[in-house]
Amino acid sequence: MLIFLLRRLLNLLPTFLIASIMVFVIIYLAPGDFLTPARLNPGISAQQIENLSRSFGLDKPWYVQYFNWMNNMLHGNLGLSFSYQQPVLDVAWPRVLNSLKLVLVNLVLFYGISIPLGVYGAVRQYSLGDRVSGVFFYVLLGFPSFFLALLTIFGILRLRQLTGWHIPLGGMTSDNHDTLSFLGRTWDTLQHLLAPALVLAIINVAGFTRVLRGQMLENLRSDYIRTARSKGVPERSVIYRHTLRNAIIPFVADVGNILPGLIGGAGFVEVVFSYPGITPMLLDSLNSQDFYLIAAFSILPMILLFIGNALSDILLTLVDPRIRFS
Amino acid sequence: MKKLLVLAAALTLGSSMAAPFVWPAKWSADAPSAAKSGGEFRNYTLSDFKTVNPFTSAEATSIPGTMALPGDGLFTQDPTTDEFIPHMADGMPAVSNGGKRFVVKIRQGMKFSDGQAITADDWITTYKIHTDDKVGSNSYDSFFINDKPITVKKLDDYTLQFDFPQTSAEAYATMSYNPWPDHIFGAAYRKGGADAVKALWGLNVDPKTVVSPGPFVLSGYSAGQRAVFRKNPYYGEWNKDSAGKSLPYLDGYSFRIVKDLNAGLASYLAGDIDTYGPRNADDLAQIKKAIDAKTLNATLIANVSPAASSQWITFNWNKADSPFKQKLFRDTRFRHAMSMLANRDAMVQLALGGLGVPTYYSVYPVFKGFINDSAPKYPYNLDGAAKLLAQMGFTKKGSDGVLVDSKGNKLEFTLTTNAGNTTREQLGRIFADEAKKIGVKVNFNPIDFNVLVGQLQSKGESRPFDAILLGLSGGTNIWPYGVNVVPCGTDLHSYNNPTNGACATSQEQLMTKLFYQGQSTVDLKAREAIGSQLLKTEAELQPVIYLVGGSYHVTYNNRLGGQHPRDLMDSYYGSRELPLTFIK
């Protein structure tokens, strides 16, 4: 297993190198730079633009900037963000943690809703509940996530105006967050996470549920299930221990994509809910052409993809007895 | 000897014991007796804060800019008269050397939020750091006039001497920078230079170590979510309201970071934030609806004043690759005709939803003192435009309906703007549609913003665009002409920018001369007179066609008090003074 993971790491190096050069070239090819908006300021002189350009290192050709960056990377330094004038990692890391919280709650909700629904749909195929939930979630599947998020916000606003309940409209914590006890803080954060996480989750429920339902149906018809049933295994055990465990294997293989997907996935929902995750910062950095911040956000998913894939390999060995890395 | 005399005069002027600065009652709509102390004003901002460091900060809404307000310098602009009055200075300065030397007495008894006295050293250190080009401060330019530095000297702990290379309209604004603590920044600067200063006060700074000269000091920042400020207790020792009460009234002030404006509006409607900047008719309607339905107890004032920004079309005079277009764009009659094609009323109605004003000059309409009504305007007039074009030889239309001259040149050009700016896209379409009516073919083409800026700023005999529709904002009512815009050869002299930067017309030469003349005129009335002449020259030449300006709207939750009286509110001075704001 360890050798397998090490080999994986070695494979990553050339990929990483090529990807990093591509990121750099693409950002460099994009017209303008971090100082473009400043050039439109009637009060800033050409001399000052030149000073800034020099102090940001923007006056050097891309390959010089790239080698400096690579060199810094090897020393564990992702460079300085232009707009924050701070090390990129210091600026980005809190956002990564925030996004992880959101996506974790989203995953719990997502699997909490879609696995039971998929199982129910297979066991009670064509029942009223199966059809209604199918139609409902398919309709939601067609909504862009940011639009559903906006609808949710205005729904909460109406509810607040009508009932006076204090339901959070956005953000990650309340104003008095710092004064709360540990439990209070956790509950406060969870309250803020619930709406965006739910929006993210239900958008994707339809797809997953339908595929799981299909997998379950296929497995339910297979010989080993018939054998199990004829041997008198209780129905509950047949469904959850035997069928579900096999039906879920293709999804486990896909776990590797979840981690990097977290970054793109929480996306516009974070923006609409004013949630301080990665996406709002990434959009800002793209907008302002904050070179090293963009580079970091492009490199991070690659590392996450590696970790995610390694994780899914390990998980596969746990759920699928046929897979061994020895 | 002369120096000594001036010094002696300055010392006698300021030798009496410093009194607190009293905030005039006329700056607030509420009487001081109505004001209560305590509470928190909850504001919002669209972009995340980038730093706590006042020397590297560049955003419009910033943490250092909130701790120490623009008026927390030696002098502050009185919104009722536009004149500068002493704030951190003990009185108006002693002026000598033909208006180039200012000796300023500093008000005594002022303290930073950590209790340390604010003295001349703090101004000197702040000046030194701002003018170190390795720091990259946004204020760098303000300490230079035509590349010549302004110098600041300490005469004693409470006396500063400013020497300007020439007289300057901006002198009081230049001297009015916020002083930051020498015991923090000076100490770091002397030890580690620019890098040590830049390394201070990032977003992860411990708020306990942050020190402010202004009414508020940072008490907490949560990444991407909010910045919270608490009152600086020492500010109230030298800032009083007209009844003698210490300012600010508020205990706290906070900014929520709202990336999505719809979510911001929802927060305002829900009462989570105390104020909001309505963008358009939709926002105004929603707020009005909530107020009428009594779900929101707030005040809404629409169309308070024109916004301090402009939208315009500029034509490229440097088109050596197309002699026809170069001659066309340089013809004053052509530009007058183009101004007459701009249906500004339709633009206000369709592109701004009725919330805006037609504009004809580079000076934002909100700077009323600098608007000269006798300057020519070329309002919407299709017949007039057609006549002017006919004078230029465009009398016939081709089979495609486009005007041609006797040599068969079609009256056609490309107009670009930055894609994604829906207002500008609509302005461009309206202009192109109107132009089509009299046979002028405008190929309207929104392109990437950065490409556009590159084109606008390009220099040379053959620059890569025909016409650009863009906007500018920024500037003050002290001298509302851009140092980077009016003089020939500067980066935003967008219509004519040849390699050698020379003016192409006598009007440009006159405008350049008037610009520098106004820039060096200290007296406001005299400056306004020069500005008026500049405006007239510019309007006659019409190098840039000004289109429309948006409106500034104000809305705030009724739990807030202490806003400006209605006639003081505008997009330049805003709707309130933070120290005079209170929670009812």
Side-chain angles (χ1 to χ4, degrees):
Chain A
M1 186 67 163
L2 199 66
I3 292 168
F4 167 79
L5 286 178
L6 274 177
R7 222 168 39 216
R8 266 287 171 86
L9 194 65
L10 273 181
N11 281 339
L12 183 80
L13 285 178
T15 322
F16 180 79
L17 214 64
I18 294 168
S20 65
I21 293 177
M22 275 179 67
V23 165
F24 243 76
V25 172
I26 290 170
I27 304 176
Y28 185 77
L29 284 180
D33 60 33
F34 179 72
L35 295 172
T36 303
R39 287 173 221 275
L40 263 197
N41 187 325
I44 298 187
S45 69
Q47 174 64 40
Q48 174 64 352
I49 297 276
E50 217 174 276
N51 289 343
L52 289 172
S53 179
R54 201 169 345 109
S55 85
F56 290 146
L58 288 169
D59 53 342
K60 299 196 183 76
W62 75 269
Y63 48 86
V64 176
Q65 296 184 37
Y66 175 78
F67 280 117
N68 285 342
W69 178 69
M70 249 310 155
N71 192 21
N72 285 336
M73 281 270 278
L74 295 176
H75 294 89
N77 170 7
L78 292 180
L80 220 57
S81 153
F82 296 152
S83 43
Y84 289 84
Q85 286 288 299
Q86 294 290 313
V88 161
L89 207 60
D90 289 4
V91 175
W93 190 243
R95 304 304 194 97
V96 175
L97 287 182
N98 289 350
S99 275
L100 280 178
K101 280 183 201 160
L102 176 59
V103 172
L104 280 179
V105 176
N106 156 47
L107 282 181
V108 170
L109 289 172
F110 175 64
Y111 288 118
I113 298 170
S114 52
I115 293 179
L117 264 181
V119 172
Y120 173 83
V123 178
R124 308 281 295 274
Q125 205 186 356
Y126 303 134
S127 67
L128 185 68
D130 180 31
R131 283 163 197 243
V132 168
S133 75
V135 169
F136 179 71
F137 285 106
Y138 261 108
V139 169
L140 286 178
L141 186 65
F143 275 62
S145 59
F146 75 91
F147 184 60
L148 192 65
L150 268 181
L151 286 184
T152 311
I153 285 184
F154 280 91
I156 297 175
L157 175 64
R158 285 304 292 159
L159 200 66
R160 274 179 66 159
Q161 287 174 340
L162 290 173
T163 61
W165 295 340
H166 196 87
I167 315 166
L169 270 173
M172 194 173 96
T173 51
S174 301
D175 292 346
N176 60 353
H177 184 79
D178 292 341
T179 63
L180 299 172
S181 65
F182 176 74
L183 264 176
R185 283 206 296 267
T186 314
W187 172 234
D188 181 50
T189 311
L190 205 62
Q191 271 186 314
H192 284 80
L193 282 170
L194 221 51
L198 198 66
V199 167
L200 274 175
I202 61 175
I203 285 274
N204 298 316
V205 160
F208 185 91
T209 307
R210 288 286 117 176
V211 180
L212 180 66
R213 180 173 171 271
Q215 287 280 332
M216 285 286 291
L217 284 171
E218 202 174 298
N219 277 299
L220 277 172
R221 289 192 205 104
S222 60
D223 291 343
Y224 71 92
I225 293 296
R226 203 172 311 130
T227 315
R229 279 191 173 135
S230 64
K231 275 168 64 183
V233 177
E235 188 61 19
R236 227 188 139 67
S237 180
V238 166
I239 291 169
Y240 287 100
R241 279 199 51 198
H242 298 280
T243 319
L244 182 61
R245 194 169 158 178
N246 282 305
I248 213 101
I249 286 175
F251 298 104
V252 175
D254 198 39
V255 164
N257 287 325
I258 291 180
L259 265 183
L262 304 185
I263 287 183
F268 286 107
V269 170
E270 289 184 341
V271 176
V272 176
F273 276 98
S274 303
Y275 186 86
I278 295 169
T279 314
M281 180 175 268
L282 178 60
L283 288 178
D284 270 353
S285 63
L286 284 171
N287 223 348
S288 60
Q289 298 196 297
D290 195 340
F291 218 97
Y292 299 105
L293 202 51
I294 304 175
F297 279 126
S298 317
I299 295 298
L300 263 176
M302 241 165 33
I303 298 169
L304 286 179
L305 188 68
F306 166 74
I307 298 174
N309 274 328
L311 216 65
S312 86
D313 288 338
I314 298 169
L315 279 176
L316 271 180
T317 60
L318 294 179
V319 294
D320 194 337
R322 290 168 298 182
I323 297 172
R324 286 288 172 269
F325 287 116
S326 44
Chain B
M1 186 64 198
K2 194 174 163 200
K3 217 187 240 175
L4 271 178
L5 279 175
V6 173
L7 179 59
L11 287 176
T12 24
L13 270 176
S15 59
S16 57
M17 188 55 209
F21 177 74
V22 177
W23 290 66
K26 61 186 175 183
W27 290 3
S28 169
D30 290 304
S33 55
K36 286 184 195 144
S37 293
E40 180 186 311
F41 175 13
R42 302 159 308 165
N43 208 331
Y44 76 103
T45 176
L46 292 180
S47 72
D48 189 9
F49 292 105
K50 304 290 193 296
T51 181
V52 186
N53 187 322
F55 296 101
T56 55
S57 166
E59 319 108 88
T61 305
S62 67
I63 290 175
T66 303
M67 297 199 297
L69 306 168
D72 291 317
L74 291 171
F75 307 98
T76 191
Q77 221 175 347
D78 182 341
T80 58
T81 60
D82 294 346
E83 299 277 4
F84 279 91
I85 54 171
H87 186 210
M88 294 183 106
D90 196 34
M92 292 310 273
V95 187
S96 61
N97 195 17
K100 290 191 287 192
R101 171 165 294 172
F102 298 82
V103 175
V104 188
K105 273 271 160 203
I106 299 165
R107 192 184 295 276
Q108 299 206 13
M110 299 186 297
K111 287 183 191 133
F112 285 107
S113 58
D114 61 354
Q116 295 241 28
I118 304 180
T119 65
D121 288 325
D122 302 305
W123 268 275
I124 299 289
T125 294
T126 304
Y127 159 81
K128 276 188 192 151
I129 300 176
H130 276 310
T131 50
D132 183 339
D133 60 6
K134 285 185 211 73
V135 174
S137 157
N138 247 30
S139 305
Y140 178 85
D141 276 333
S142 65
F143 293 100
F144 292 84
I145 300 180
N146 299 332
D147 294 335
K148 283 188 266 335
I150 291 155
T151 56
V152 188
K153 245 174 36 197
K154 168 184 165 181
L155 298 186
D156 64 49
D157 276 355
Y158 288 97
T159 315
L160 289 167
Q161 175 181 303
F162 291 83
D163 279 295
F164 285 69
Q166 62 181 69
T167 54
S168 166
E170 311 260 356
Y172 285 92
T174 304
M175 292 186 279
S176 302
Y177 60 92
N178 303 125
W180 291 96
D182 171 64
H183 59 277
I184 293 177
F185 288 101
Y189 190 60
R190 286 184 286 273
K191 225 166 149 193
D195 287 333
V197 168
K198 288 203 276 191
L200 282 172
W201 293 13
L203 279 179
N204 45 8
V205 65
D206 177 1
K208 284 191 206 76
T209 64
V210 173
V211 173
S212 159
F216 293 98
V217 58
L218 184 71
S219 75
Y221 165 80
S222 25
Q225 288 194 77
R226 77 174 69 81
V228 186
F229 302 85
R230 64 185 159 76
K231 173 201 282 205
N232 164 12
Y234 297 104
Y235 191 78
E237 290 181 0
W238 63 278
N239 283 277
K240 308 279 183 190
D241 70 7
S242 47
K245 212 159 158 193
S246 294
L247 293 174
Y249 297 124
L250 296 164
D251 275 344
Y253 183 53
S254 63
F255 276 104
R256 228 134 300 222
I257 297 151
V258 185
K259 273 247 70 99
D260 183 80
L261 271 171
N262 293 304
L265 177 61
S267 295
Y268 179 63
L269 294 178
D272 284 352
I273 50 180
D274 294 319
T275 185
Y276 181 73
R279 299 157 291 172
N280 49 38
D282 270 357
D283 282 2
L284 291 173
Q286 289 219 44
I287 295 167
K288 178 145 195 326
K289 215 172 104 192
I291 293 174
D292 290 346
K294 302 220 173 349
T295 54
L296 177 69
N297 180 15
T299 302
L300 172 67
I301 315 168
N303 292 317
V304 168
S305 84
S309 64
S310 60
Q311 307 284 343
W312 38 257
I313 295 175
T314 184
F315 290 94
N316 179 9
W317 292 12
N318 314 107
K319 285 201 75 77
D321 54 336
S322 167
F324 164 69
K325 277 186 182 164
Q326 171 151 316
K327 188 162 165 277
L328 183 72
F329 296 156
R330 287 186 180 203
D331 195 317
T332 315
R333 291 170 298 180
F334 169 76
R335 297 190 304 275
H336 287 175
M338 290 305 110
S339 179
M340 292 179 182
L341 289 184
N343 188 348
R344 295 176 177 82
D345 290 328
M347 288 174 176
V348 169
Q349 290 310 319
L350 299 172
L352 303 178
L355 305 167
V357 286
T359 57
Y360 297 92
Y361 310 124
S362 67
V363 175
Y364 312 139
V366 62
F367 298 151
K368 293 184 280 277
F370 282 92
I371 298 285
N372 169 11
D373 279 329
S374 67
K377 291 179 183 178
Y378 301 92
Y380 181 60
N381 178 359
L382 288 183
D383 293 339
K387 251 180 229 153
L388 280 175
L389 295 173
Q391 279 177 25
M392 292 171 62
F394 293 99
T395 44
K396 280 186 307 210
K397 280 184 186 173
S399 55
D400 51 1
V402 179
L403 286 165
V404 285
D405 66 8
S406 54
K407 293 184 196 113
N409 292 312
K410 275 192 195 179
L411 192 49
E412 173 181 2
F413 61 87
T414 303
L415 174 66
T416 49
T417 192
N418 57 315
N421 184 318
T422 47
T423 306
R424 284 188 197 141
E425 285 172 4
Q426 287 180 50
L427 295 177
R429 297 241 151 73
I430 295 168
F431 182 81
D433 286 349
E434 294 290 346
K436 198 178 170 191
K437 288 182 189 163
I438 62 160
V440 179
K441 190 170 177 207
V442 179
N443 302 307
F444 182 55
N445 183 20
I447 60 170
D448 177 78
F449 175 74
N450 292 327
V451 177
L452 192 74
V453 175
Q455 292 182 351
L456 188 83
Q457 294 212 310
S458 57
K459 265 183 192 292
E461 270 54 49
S462 191
R463 297 158 72 215
F465 69 95
D466 285 356
I468 285 177
L469 193 165
L470 206 64
L472 284 181
S473 61
T476 64
N477 66 359
I478 299 164
W479 183 232
Y481 290 94
V483 62
N484 214 0
V485 181
V486 180
C488 293
T490 52
D491 276 0
L492 289 170
H493 194 79
S494 56
Y495 50 97
N496 177 35
N497 211 343
T499 316
N500 63 7
C503 300
T505 60
S506 58
Q507 289 98 325
E508 276 176 279
Q509 274 166 354
L510 178 62
M511 282 156 59
T512 305
K513 192 183 130 223
L514 289 170
F515 173 81
Y516 288 120
Q517 201 183 330
Q519 196 194 32
S520 62
T521 302
V522 183
D523 179 64
L524 178 64
K525 287 291 161 225
R527 200 161 64 235
E528 282 179 354
I530 298 166
S532 149
Q533 212 186 331
L534 173 47
L535 190 83
K536 188 160 164 272
T537 316
E538 195 179 66
E540 278 163 6
L541 184 65
Q542 284 283 314
V544 174
I545 318 286
Y546 289 89
L547 303 173
V548 290
S551 286
Y552 168 68
H553 318 286
V554 170
T555 181
Y556 52 88
N557 195 302
N558 285 341
R559 66 187 215 105
L560 290 189
Q563 63 282 350
H564 280 158
R566 171 66 187 84
D567 59 343
L568 265 197
M569 287 184 187
D570 69 29
S571 56
Y572 182 64
Y573 288 112
S575 61
R576 60 180 63 251
E577 305 291 330
L578 200 48
L580 293 174
T581 298
F582 61 90
I583 304 292
K584 284 176 188 161

